[in-house]
Amino acid sequence: MQLLVTNSPFSEEQLQHINALLPTLTETQIHWLSGYLAFYRSNNVQGALQAAAPQGSAFAVAPVVEAVQLPKEATIIFGSQTGNAQRLAGRLADRLKADGYDVTVSAMNKFKPNDLKKVVNLFVLVSTHGEGDPPDNAVSFYEFLHGKRAPELKHVKYSVLALGDTSYEFFCKTGQDFDARLKELGAEQLVERADCDVDYEETASGWINAIAEKLNSAQAAPAVQAAVATEAAAPASVEYTRNKPFQAEVIESINLNGRGSDRETRHLELSLEGSGIIYEPGDAVGIVPHNDPELVKELIEELGWKPSEQVTTKDGVTLSVEEALTKEYEITTLSKTLLEKFEPFAKNDKFKKLLGNAAELKAYVKGRDLLDLIQDYGPFTWQPSDVVSVLRKIPARLYSIASSLAAHPDEVHLTIRKVQYDAHGRQRNGVCSVYVSERLEVGDHVSVFVQSNPNFKLPASHETPIIMIGPGTGVAPFRAFMEEREEAGASGKSWLFFGDRHYVTDFLYQTDWQRMLNEGALTNLEVAFSRDTEQKVYVQHRLLEHAAELYAWLEEGAHLYICGDEKHMAHDVHEALLQIIQEQRGVSAEAAAAYLSELQDAGRYQRDVY
Amino acid sequence: MTSKKKVEPIGGTPSDVEDLKVASKYLRGSLAEQLNNRVTGGLTELDNRLLKFHGSYMQDDRDLRQEREKQKLEPAYQFMLRVVTPGGVATPEQWLTIDELADKYGNGTIKATTRQAFQLHGVLKWNLKKTIKSINDTLLSTLAACGDVSRNVMCNPNPLQSKVHEEIHHISNELTRHLAPRTPAYHEIWLDGEKLENPYKPYGEAVDPVEPIYGHVYLPRKFKIGIAVPPSNDIDVYSQDLGYIAIVEDDKLVGFNVTVGGGMGMTHGDTNTYPQLGKVIGYITPDQVLEVAEKVVTIQRDYGNRSVRKNARFKYTIDRHGLDWFKEELHERLGWELAPAREIHFENTGDRYGWSKNYDGTWNVTLFIRGGRIDDTEQSQVKTGLREIAKVLKGDFRLTANQNVMIGNIPSKQKAAITKLLKKYNISIGEELSGFRRNALSCVALPTCGLAMAEAERYLPSLLDKLEPIIEKNGLLDTEINIRITGCPNGCARPALGEISFIGKSPGKYNMYLGAGFAGERLNKMYKENIGEAEILETLEPIIAHYAKERKKGEHFGDFVIRAGYIKATTDGTNFHSA
């Protein structure tokens, strides 16, 4: 195959050299060169590319053309209830390792679905449970693969070993499902599926041998690897804004709080496919929410309007007043400005008196909404045609991004805690958080845009240690940070401080952190759960417990990040930091404060607080 | 004596658990450190294995497993704590401590197990140490409640032979103590180094300075000891690795028949595993009990299978080499021989509910505890009631082998007060229950047991509700039939000894077994494989009707199904699987 500018990432000049050289090479030379290039890539190119790309950016490193040899890679995943599939996975792994393969083995629930894109040879060992169900640790992957987010797998060769028991009606069903689905996704079957009964030994051994033989014979043939599909260049970033938001599809919405928690925190995954939106860890996403339809209904009833009455917005769009109040205009916040706009429509003196008393007005607008105003000070002569001139557009709510584009191409994840409380005799709902938690469903679309935050960014070098303090939903950007560093194979140390109320139910992204910790991507994790012990423990207490080590990290050049509640947490953490610096350096309070502000000036102490 | 058959230990590559035990340094592992790891509420597999020796298992709420995985939360890890209570006897003070711990650190309920131990469920990792410390402060322990060692020694609570009970209970205490692990790991980890005094009084040479009986690798598998007092076989003596059957003459304990090699557990689909009944090997006097137990344990220590765990129980060791070999090996280690076994006769395996009077004029009352679960429900406030009784009681509590509770040694002037409290809290003394309800037994299973494949404790009441009309229609309500159900084939509710048994295969599906002996003297056999509730009822209805019509006087259901040809008798564990 002749390499061209159109089918390779090389320039005309480079291609002249390459195309001149390739036909002259002997078998041995090709072999030698491919090995050399693989080594060259892992040691040089990666670094060079990263130096060239903007640091900390989400640009994926362009794939280098694969060497013309089948990669000796095998990925083995298993779903196991009693441990048989796991044991057999271990045996297959040992066999392939002995043949020189680079083998990864993992339970399906530990396997990152995103890694499917990198897999070449995939071996699935899975048992069937109960009425044809997958074993516990296979369920999430099973659902993923059978869902609409499953990627195309044309680059994958695979085989399935199904374990089962013929005394059950749905013998080996899960294995059969995986087999059929992998085929459907375009993967090529390397060795036929084997279905094992309770005495699986012989069938399983046969399957393992068949795989080893097939792989080895494929290796022996001087096959040329099909050119790896070059990823389509990212379309130029389109500017989406509050007024021109992108309609992102909701692809996942999970309550991160376990049963029995008094909180509800949504993990929302949105598809950015087709938007060309690019973001960096530390950035935020703005969501333009809809108002609660029930509240709109009550308001319209209170006003005595007809819901279907037409209004025309400033942009010239005509829609029903019900829709306008649901999707376009803010009805949940009162302000002095707003109340003043109501003055011409007021019919009673009580309202005029309120407007005349600044202190009373200020107290009144706090925590109340439009429905309160109409009920407390109505009637008003306000009509649907006046909506546009009086109300402002629903403001967007910003949420720190909880994902890295490198880890989740074309996706953005958010962490949103539902706000709901009783005040002034009625239940009050956070406009956006309740919209997201209660009304947005998978498959729905939501208006979003990215708001960049240059003041909350990973250090320029992935070798710089980072200390992240993010209790509650403040942990969101740190998931993005850590995913980014993990994808980049960063070597810098990292330390996360997380806290919430209860360990069992409120440990946000617990299994993500545990995995990163086990794999070494995250160096340290300290947690504080305030309602589990007689004495409340918060993140600042954990900081103080590790004062010496924390200070040593700062002296090594660590960057310090705080995200979350401003009023209490960020303040208390700041005080704890001052105390640590004062004690560890043996300096005055002023000197400690100066130390921290120097860090701040150097961009080494960054906060994203709200 | 003929020359002894030469036998080599089975050998083979030691299983991973054996390696873990060696690496643990006498059950320490990294437990102390892992208990302080705040990032997970669980333990590593190694430490969890070790924790069993300390009397606890890591479990998780399996009802929530899928849901939590989606929520990016680890499983709802929690710990089961088992309290060693030899013979199931506890003082009122001890009862109150367990009761309080269940509320403070557990899930608010207490489980009375089929081995007469207390179990607490739902204890979080951070509360384990506090809970275990409180248990030890009340002079109970969790040491060796689980693990590859001798477990809680069972004995009959003996409402009818109160004099003998004292002696038997004393012996079960002595056995528990003598066979307890002596590693300092337990008090290092849980009791801040506070030592437990339990010096080894040798019957032979210590094999190891730290663990004189077990050595540093402990036993190949768990080891169970029970003492029965005929005519009651409530502790299912033939299901024990080592059983003692008391011989009582003129109200006096004179000695014991010894049985070896019983055990319930098996693996579905693997006919190399099977339940087995213990076999009688001779007779000994009470002063020989500890020595015999120690020597039997050391034979299993030296000859048990350490390569394949599911073939590691003592029963397989004996079946592999033969009973004759075993007897000779035992005699050699003892330096003396057991006397010929005495005649004994068992009548049943159930509990004797209700009131009974002791030789010294005090009273006992055996209560019916559904599924062994001590909790408060709308119908019956067992937990509160027993707490109120414990506050005033001048007697003791005894957990029975059938998961019930007996209140023992009640002074006659307290009898009225206790009766009143039982009424007040709607606690049953079994009188109103049908014969088959009185004799039903289940294990814990879902949602906490990690081994369960199907429901057991939560399902048994509704299954009985559906069976009762069939039983009633056939006029058998007062006939005693024992029914057992477990969520897996490991055998916690001794299912191979049920006249009708169900062993879980998958949610809602069970293998059904018929034909065990009513007094625990014969194993049952599989009648139907992998059936659901509808088929269970459909299958049993005609057999029950047939039994009602054609049974002989006094003939038990388990005997009838064999005579009527429904199923062949299992004459030995080795033919349990043959049709």
Side-chain angles (χ1 to χ4, degrees), chain B residues 186-292:
Chain B
Y186 187 77
H187 57 251
E188 279 171 20
I189 296 170
W190 311 107
L191 307 177
D192 298 321
E194 204 179 296
K195 278 233 169 67
L196 298 169
E197 280 309 319
N198 187 16
Y200 174 61
K201 300 187 200 81
Y203 282 101
E205 231 168 90
V207 294
D208 181 291
V210 178
E211 291 290 5
I213 298 174
Y214 293 122
H216 72 301
V217 208
Y218 297 85
L219 294 182
R221 202 72 170 75
K222 61 186 167 191
F223 195 89
K224 298 179 172 181
I225 302 178
I227 310 175
V229 185
S232 170
N233 188 19
D234 58 344
I235 63 131
D236 269 325
V237 72
Y238 300 113
S239 74
Q240 313 284 340
D241 291 278
L242 171 61
Y244 293 111
I245 303 171
I247 307 297
V248 179
E249 288 173 357
D250 303 328
D251 278 345
K252 275 193 66 184
L253 176 73
V254 295
F256 298 94
N257 278 356
V258 180
T259 70
V260 294
M264 288 289 102
M266 59 167 175
T267 306
H268 278 317
D270 182 350
T271 53
N272 289 324
T273 67
Y274 50 84
Q276 181 60 288
L277 294 186
K279 296 177 177 75
V280 181
I281 56 165
Y283 169 84
I284 58 170
T285 52
D287 59 311
Q288 296 171 323
V289 165
L290 291 193
E291 187 180 4
V292 167

Side-chain angles (χ1 to χ4, degrees), chain B residues 149-355:
Chain B
V149 283
S150 173
R151 305 285 187 85
N152 197 36
V153 176
M154 298 178 72
C155 87
N156 182 307
N158 268 31
L160 297 178
Q161 294 141 295
S162 53
K163 233 178 196 170
V164 178
H165 177 258
E166 270 171 40
E167 284 181 84
I168 305 273
H169 177 236
H170 176 73
I171 291 171
S172 63
N173 259 326
E174 288 289 296
L175 272 170
T176 303
R177 244 175 108 77
H178 187 69
L179 295 173
R182 288 175 168 79
T183 170
Y186 187 77
H187 57 251
E188 279 171 20
I189 296 170
W190 311 107
L191 307 177
D192 298 321
E194 204 179 296
K195 278 233 169 67
L196 298 169
E197 280 309 319
N198 187 16
Y200 174 61
K201 300 187 200 81
Y203 282 101
E205 231 168 90
V207 294
D208 181 291
V210 178
E211 291 290 5
I213 298 174
Y214 293 122
H216 72 301
V217 208
Y218 297 85
L219 294 182
R221 202 72 170 75
K222 61 186 167 191
F223 195 89
K224 298 179 172 181
I225 302 178
I227 310 175
V229 185
S232 170
N233 188 19
D234 58 344
I235 63 131
D236 269 325
V237 72
Y238 300 113
S239 74
Q240 313 284 340
D241 291 278
L242 171 61
Y244 293 111
I245 303 171
I247 307 297
V248 179
E249 288 173 357
D250 303 328
D251 278 345
K252 275 193 66 184
L253 176 73
V254 295
F256 298 94
N257 278 356
V258 180
T259 70
V260 294
M264 288 289 102
M266 59 167 175
T267 306
H268 278 317
D270 182 350
T271 53
N272 289 324
T273 67
Y274 50 84
Q276 181 60 288
L277 294 186
K279 296 177 177 75
V280 181
I281 56 165
Y283 169 84
I284 58 170
T285 52
D287 59 311
Q288 296 171 323
V289 165
L290 291 193
E291 187 180 4
V292 167
E294 177 178 317
K295 296 307 173 193
V296 171
V297 162
T298 62
I299 295 173
Q300 164 65 352
R301 176 196 69 201
D302 298 339
Y303 288 93
N305 188 334
R306 289 184 184 268
S307 186
V308 182
R309 264 185 91 70
K310 58 186 181 183
N311 291 126
R313 284 288 293 275
F314 185 41
K315 58 186 173 183
Y316 302 115
T317 311
I318 289 190
D319 288 353
R320 188 162 55 243
H321 301 308
L323 199 60
D324 290 340
W325 162 80
F326 175 77
K327 278 198 258 185
E328 283 184 43
E329 179 70 31
L330 177 64
H331 292 159
E332 198 171 284
R333 290 190 185 210
L334 286 167
W336 51 269
E337 291 193 15
L338 273 59
R342 304 282 184 92
E343 271 298 307
I344 58 112
H345 175 66
F346 284 126
E347 281 173 6
N348 55 50
T349 57
D351 285 339
R352 190 206 179 278
Y353 292 96
W355 290 93

Side-chain angles (χ1 to χ4, degrees), chain B residues 51-88:
Chain B
L51 187 67
K52 295 181 181 177
F53 289 81
H54 298 257
S56 176
Y57 275 48
M58 180 169 83
Q59 307 186 317
D60 71 278
D61 189 332
R62 292 176 59 183
D63 290 348
L64 301 182
R65 211 183 261 180
Q66 292 304 328
E67 178 179 309
R68 288 180 61 94
E69 186 178 334
K70 268 206 152 140
Q71 293 180 303
K72 301 180 190 287
L73 292 167
E74 70 178 13
Y77 289 125
Q78 46 183 260
F79 291 82
M80 177 278 278
L81 262 183
R82 197 178 284 161
V83 183
V84 175
T85 33

Side-chain angles (χ1 to χ4, degrees), chain A residues 10-170:
Chain A
F10 301 112
S11 68
E12 192 71 56
E13 194 189 351
Q14 288 173 319
L15 285 174
Q16 272 179 15
H17 294 297
I18 295 170
N19 285 328
L21 178 68
L22 285 182
T24 71
L25 297 178
T26 66
E27 193 69 39
T28 325
Q29 285 172 328
I30 290 174
H31 201 76
W32 188 91
L33 187 63
S34 50
Y36 176 77
L37 282 177
F39 177 77
Y40 183 78
R41 175 177 56 156
S42 60
N43 283 278
N44 290 318
V45 181
Q46 194 93 4
L49 280 175
Q50 286 201 345
Q55 276 303 338
S57 88
F59 289 118
V61 173
V64 172
V65 165
E66 292 294 330
V68 283
Q69 191 190 9
L70 280 178
K72 296 196 80 168
E73 178 275 359
T75 301
I76 302 173
I77 56 176
F78 60 84
S80 190
Q81 196 79 30
T82 61
N84 289 334
Q86 182 170 5
R87 268 192 295 280
L88 290 170
R91 263 176 44 196
L92 174 62
D94 290 345
R95 173 68 191 270
L96 296 182
K97 275 181 199 157
D99 289 342
Y101 282 83
D102 184 7
V103 183
T104 336
V105 188
S106 65
M108 289 185 185
N109 61 349
K110 296 276 157 23
F111 180 74
K112 287 199 287 177
N114 202 36
D115 284 349
L116 274 179
K117 293 175 185 163
K118 305 172 195 160
V119 164
V120 180
N121 293 305
L122 179 69
F123 302 107
V124 177
L125 298 91
V126 68
S127 59
T128 296
H129 188 58
E131 303 293 299
D133 304 322
D136 286 346
N137 63 358
V139 172
S140 53
F141 183 71
Y142 182 92
E143 283 174 0
F144 167 80
L145 204 71
H146 286 78
K148 57 179 174 181
R149 294 172 67 195
E152 192 173 68
L153 295 174
K154 284 201 171 128
H155 59 289
V156 173
K157 287 196 169 60
Y158 81 97
S159 185
V160 175
L161 183 74
L163 295 173
D165 179 340
T166 41
S167 75
Y168 290 82
E169 188 183 346
F170 301 99

Side-chain angles (χ1 to χ4, degrees), chain B residues 506-560:
Chain B
S506 66
K509 291 286 171 73
Y510 299 84
N511 288 350
M512 184 167 99
Y513 299 78
L514 296 177
F518 184 73
E521 75 289 2
R522 181 181 60 241
L523 295 165
N524 54 22
K525 199 179 272 302
M526 185 163 80
Y527 183 65
K528 285 260 172 158
E529 191 176 11
N530 208 29
I531 58 175
E533 186 175 80
E535 207 177 337
I536 289 174
L537 298 174
E538 232 167 73
T539 309
L540 279 176
E541 180 151 19
I543 304 180
I544 289 169
H546 190 187
Y547 171 62
K549 232 190 307 170
E550 295 189 11
R551 67 182 161 149
K552 294 183 178 161
K553 191 161 180 269
E555 187 178 29
H556 286 290
F557 184 78
D559 299 329
F560 170 79

